[in-house]
Amino acid sequence: MAAQYGDVTRFRWGPRHEFLLNHPDLVEQVLVTEQRSFMKGQALQETKRILGEGLLTSEGALHLRQRRLMQPLFHRGRIGEYGDEMVECSTGLQARWRDGDTREMHDEMTRLTLAVVGRVLFAADLEGEAGELGSALTDAMESLQRFMLPFYGAVERLPLPGPRRVRASRRRLDMTIYRLLAERRANPGGADLLSLLLQARDEQGEPMPDAQVRDEAMTIFLAGHETTAVTLTWTWMLLARHPSVEERLHEELDVVLGARPPNIDDLPKLLYTDTVLKEALRLYPPAWLIGRRALVDVELGGFVVPAGSIVILSPWVTHRDARFFYEPLRFDPDRWTGQGQADRRGFGYFPFGGGIRRCIGESFALMEAKLLLASLAQRWRLRLDPRQVVDVLPRITLRPRYGMRMRLEARR
Ligand code: HEM
């Protein structure tokens, strides 16, 4: 639609007007300068059955209060403490990898990021003996699969899962989370995110009610791992298809790290690793669609968008527009250095959204993706299974439609 109709496309979905916008200035207008004229869509009602009123789903004053309260927990300095746990999770995964094995990398990466979020959020080993939490979360996730992420404009059109199953997994989850909460209250001072949520105070010095802590923990869990898992999966595919990029990545890892595992002090030195991820997030943005509902009539690109309309922004579409990226379909990490970077401005690139609803986990996700990619690529080269067909499955996140089977080759 963007190619055919330009920066603003209006179409109808049932009785409602929808607008696809494809220009950095319009993206900025919706996400930042006129963000108060928009809210997220109404599928929240269903999503709230599991997520409650967490950051992703809440609106207005509650969202603002919670965002202020939680922002410090996601500050770069603060989350640095989780770096070692991320690398430990990666080491755990690699202990099961064998030279010559073929693995389904989307599953492997999901398992890995799930392990990370379990450790960081609950100080629990979701893969190991704390299986109760792991399976409750997995169940809830499955029943919520389609609602996991922020694009409610699109989610509203999807068929809903059986409410009974959602209720049952919610009950299991609640039991587990409230038990963990009681344990944290009995033994305060932990460094996991759940303990920090309990310790957080608002401007009046008030803590969050337990139900709010529960909702926020659930939200971080759900929003925080699938996105990073698909980012890594697409990155492996791109590296396998671009051996010269892969070689430069390996060179950097060999020079900076040698054989020792990475830690957060290495991150500023892993510049090429950084551009590889940035470029993967450009071509395969996990959050490929961001939806909003207009609260009032808004003028956008010379059109009046009536109150109640759905506005759709798509990192996928905008990131692949030749006006904003030279040879947009080429995987070229170098476009993120030197003049290419200097020329870039504004919202032509927005894998993490923008404005007050910008991803709160951005620094966390980038640190995690970088540490996991570095620690894995340091020791392994991944080759696409010759029979693997690569295509996208644009659900709530941008998944690989046929999975991503890859062969493991040990580098050291
Ligand atoms: C590469 C990984 C990730 C991507 C591409 C991503 C993308 C996004 C995007 C685009 C939004 C905004 C959606 C909108 O405006 O409608 C968002 C919101 C959010 N993300 Fe992420 N995310 C990632 C990782 C994470 C992680 C690791 C966490 C938590 C640890 C997280 C937690 C959240 C939360 C809580 C929100 C809602 C923020 C708010 O509305 O105030 N995300 N994410």
Side-chain angles (χ1 to χ4, degrees), residues 31 40 54-58 63 67 70 74 117 120 149-152 193 216 219-231 281 285-292 315 350-354 356-362 364-366 368-369:
L31 292 183
K40 294 191 171 185
L55 266 195
L56 214 47
T57 41
S58 56
H63 174 263
R67 179 88 195 195
M70 289 169 65
F74 286 92
V117 84
V120 166
L149 271 165
F151 328 106
Y152 300 115
L193 269 178
E216 299 299 1
T219 298
I220 294 167
F221 172 77
L222 288 165
H225 80 280
E226 155 90 5
T227 37
T228 314
V230 291
T231 302
L281 281 167
W288 63 285
L289 208 93
I290 297 177
R292 291 289 188 271
F350 58 112
F352 294 98
I356 181 70
R357 314 250 22 174
R358 189 184 183 104
C359 178
I360 201 171
E362 177 174 353
F364 184 103
L366 291 175
E368 179 183 7

Side-chain angles (χ1 to χ4, degrees), residues 235-255:
T235 304
W236 292 122
M237 183 279 287
L238 289 163
L239 287 172
R241 284 191 168 169
H242 298 85
S244 61
V245 173
E246 185 187 53
E247 204 171 304
R248 277 178 67 190
L249 174 72
H250 288 158
E251 261 169 41
E252 176 172 276
L253 297 174
D254 292 348
V255 170

Side-chain angles (χ1 to χ4, degrees), residues 13 154 189 192 335 389:
W13 195 276
D192 56 285
R335 71 171 83 239
V389 177

Side-chain angles (χ1 to χ4, degrees), residues 109-140:
M109 294 300 105
T110 303
R111 199 166 302 142
L112 179 56
T113 55
L114 194 62
V116 168
V117 84
R119 289 275 290 274
V120 166
L121 185 56
F122 301 118
D125 177 3
L126 294 188
E127 289 187 292
E129 65 285 350
E132 180 196 359
L133 180 62
S135 66
L137 290 170
T138 314
D139 262 16

Side-chain angles (χ1 to χ4, degrees), residues 58-68:
S58 56
E59 295 279 352
L62 175 63
H63 174 263
L64 200 61
R65 171 183 184 267
Q66 287 301 115
R67 179 88 195 195
R68 286 198 179 127

